[in-house]
mmCIF file of all heavy atoms in Angstrom:
data_model
loop_
_atom_site.group_PDB
_atom_site.id
_atom_site.type_symbol
_atom_site.label_atom_id
_atom_site.label_comp_id
_atom_site.label_asym_id
_atom_site.label_seq_id
_atom_site.Cartn_x
_atom_site.Cartn_y
_atom_site.Cartn_z
ATOM 1 N N ALA A 31 4.459 -3.150 19.698
ATOM 2 C CA ALA A 31 3.232 -3.713 20.270
ATOM 3 C C ALA A 31 2.274 -2.604 20.689
ATOM 4 O O ALA A 31 1.057 -2.742 20.536
ATOM 5 C CB ALA A 31 3.571 -4.600 21.466
ATOM 6 N N LYS A 47 9.819 7.912 25.931
ATOM 7 C CA LYS A 47 10.762 8.894 25.363
ATOM 8 C C LYS A 47 11.311 8.382 24.032
ATOM 9 O O LYS A 47 11.438 9.131 23.065
ATOM 10 C CB LYS A 47 11.908 9.168 26.335
ATOM 11 C CG LYS A 47 11.516 9.981 27.542
ATOM 12 C CD LYS A 47 12.704 10.175 28.470
ATOM 13 C CE LYS A 47 12.289 10.885 29.755
ATOM 14 N NZ LYS A 47 13.400 10.970 30.706
ATOM 15 N N MET A 48 11.623 7.079 23.983
ATOM 16 C CA MET A 48 12.146 6.491 22.751
ATOM 17 C C MET A 48 11.088 6.564 21.646
ATOM 18 O O MET A 48 11.410 6.896 20.497
ATOM 19 C CB MET A 48 12.558 5.032 22.989
ATOM 20 C CG MET A 48 13.123 4.348 21.756
ATOM 21 S SD MET A 48 13.435 2.586 22.010
ATOM 22 C CE MET A 48 14.978 2.661 22.882
ATOM 23 N N GLU A 74 20.352 17.538 18.918
ATOM 24 C CA GLU A 74 20.127 18.837 19.544
ATOM 25 C C GLU A 74 18.818 18.874 20.326
ATOM 26 O O GLU A 74 18.775 19.337 21.465
ATOM 27 C CB GLU A 74 20.122 19.933 18.468
ATOM 28 C CG GLU A 74 20.016 21.330 19.024
ATOM 29 C CD GLU A 74 20.072 22.374 17.929
ATOM 30 O OE1 GLU A 74 20.911 22.239 17.012
ATOM 31 O OE2 GLU A 74 19.258 23.313 17.983
ATOM 32 N N SER A 79 23.176 11.057 21.984
ATOM 33 C CA SER A 79 24.418 10.887 21.222
ATOM 34 C C SER A 79 24.093 10.661 19.743
ATOM 35 O O SER A 79 22.949 10.365 19.372
ATOM 36 C CB SER A 79 25.197 9.690 21.756
ATOM 37 O OG SER A 79 24.504 8.491 21.466
ATOM 38 N N ARG A 106 3.135 8.656 -4.713
ATOM 39 C CA ARG A 106 2.010 9.479 -5.151
ATOM 40 C C ARG A 106 1.366 10.171 -3.948
ATOM 41 O O ARG A 106 1.041 11.348 -3.986
ATOM 42 C CB ARG A 106 0.982 8.628 -5.887
ATOM 43 C CG ARG A 106 -0.207 9.443 -6.373
ATOM 44 C CD ARG A 106 -1.174 8.612 -7.160
ATOM 45 N NE ARG A 106 -0.460 8.090 -8.326
ATOM 46 C CZ ARG A 106 -0.920 7.170 -9.131
ATOM 47 N NH1 ARG A 106 -2.098 6.659 -8.930
ATOM 48 N NH2 ARG A 106 -0.217 6.752 -10.153
ATOM 49 N N LEU A 116 1.205 23.152 -1.038
ATOM 50 C CA LEU A 116 1.368 24.238 -2.015
ATOM 51 C C LEU A 116 0.033 24.921 -2.293
ATOM 52 O O LEU A 116 -0.024 26.148 -2.434
ATOM 53 C CB LEU A 116 1.960 23.689 -3.322
ATOM 54 C CG LEU A 116 3.417 23.245 -3.259
ATOM 55 C CD1 LEU A 116 3.814 22.566 -4.568
ATOM 56 C CD2 LEU A 116 4.323 24.415 -2.964
ATOM 57 N N LEU A 119 -0.669 27.243 0.573
ATOM 58 C CA LEU A 119 0.144 28.464 0.484
ATOM 59 C C LEU A 119 -0.397 29.408 -0.582
ATOM 60 O O LEU A 119 -0.488 30.618 -0.368
ATOM 61 C CB LEU A 119 1.609 28.111 0.179
ATOM 62 C CG LEU A 119 2.402 27.491 1.322
ATOM 63 C CD1 LEU A 119 3.757 27.007 0.810
ATOM 64 C CD2 LEU A 119 2.584 28.501 2.441
ATOM 65 N N ALA A 120 -0.748 28.847 -1.737
ATOM 66 C CA ALA A 120 -1.278 29.666 -2.827
ATOM 67 C C ALA A 120 -2.608 30.299 -2.422
ATOM 68 O O ALA A 120 -2.871 31.466 -2.750
ATOM 69 C CB ALA A 120 -1.447 28.823 -4.092
ATOM 70 N N GLU A 127 -3.346 31.713 -9.970
ATOM 71 C CA GLU A 127 -2.623 30.914 -10.962
ATOM 72 C C GLU A 127 -1.991 29.687 -10.297
ATOM 73 O O GLU A 127 -2.107 28.566 -10.808
ATOM 74 C CB GLU A 127 -1.537 31.766 -11.629
ATOM 75 C CG GLU A 127 -0.774 31.020 -12.714
ATOM 76 C CD GLU A 127 0.315 31.881 -13.359
ATOM 77 O OE1 GLU A 127 0.222 33.126 -13.299
ATOM 78 O OE2 GLU A 127 1.246 31.282 -13.904
ATOM 79 N N GLN A 128 -1.337 29.888 -9.155
ATOM 80 C CA GLN A 128 -0.720 28.764 -8.450
ATOM 81 C C GLN A 128 -1.769 27.808 -7.885
ATOM 82 O O GLN A 128 -1.564 26.595 -7.845
ATOM 83 C CB GLN A 128 0.192 29.278 -7.320
ATOM 84 C CG GLN A 128 1.450 29.959 -7.808
ATOM 85 C CD GLN A 128 2.319 29.028 -8.628
ATOM 86 O OE1 GLN A 128 2.452 27.842 -8.329
ATOM 87 N NE2 GLN A 128 2.915 29.559 -9.694
ATOM 88 N N MET A 174 -28.114 -38.623 -15.440
ATOM 89 C CA MET A 174 -28.015 -37.766 -14.263
ATOM 90 C C MET A 174 -29.183 -36.795 -14.200
ATOM 91 O O MET A 174 -29.693 -36.484 -13.122
ATOM 92 C CB MET A 174 -26.691 -36.987 -14.276
ATOM 93 C CG MET A 174 -25.468 -37.799 -13.950
ATOM 94 S SD MET A 174 -24.043 -36.707 -13.918
ATOM 95 C CE MET A 174 -22.726 -37.863 -14.055
ATOM 96 N N LEU A 182 -20.869 -32.785 -12.348
ATOM 97 C CA LEU A 182 -19.747 -32.916 -13.281
ATOM 98 C C LEU A 182 -18.434 -33.197 -12.565
ATOM 99 O O LEU A 182 -17.439 -33.537 -13.200
ATOM 100 C CB LEU A 182 -19.626 -31.661 -14.142
ATOM 101 C CG LEU A 182 -20.822 -31.405 -15.077
ATOM 102 C CD1 LEU A 182 -20.623 -30.100 -15.837
ATOM 103 C CD2 LEU A 182 -21.016 -32.560 -16.039
#
Side-chain angles (χ1 to χ4, degrees):
K47 288 179 185 175
M48 180 186 280
E74 185 178 317
S79 68
R106 180 177 299 169
L116 290 173
L119 287 172
E127 182 181 337
Q128 290 299 322
M174 286 183 198
L182 296 177

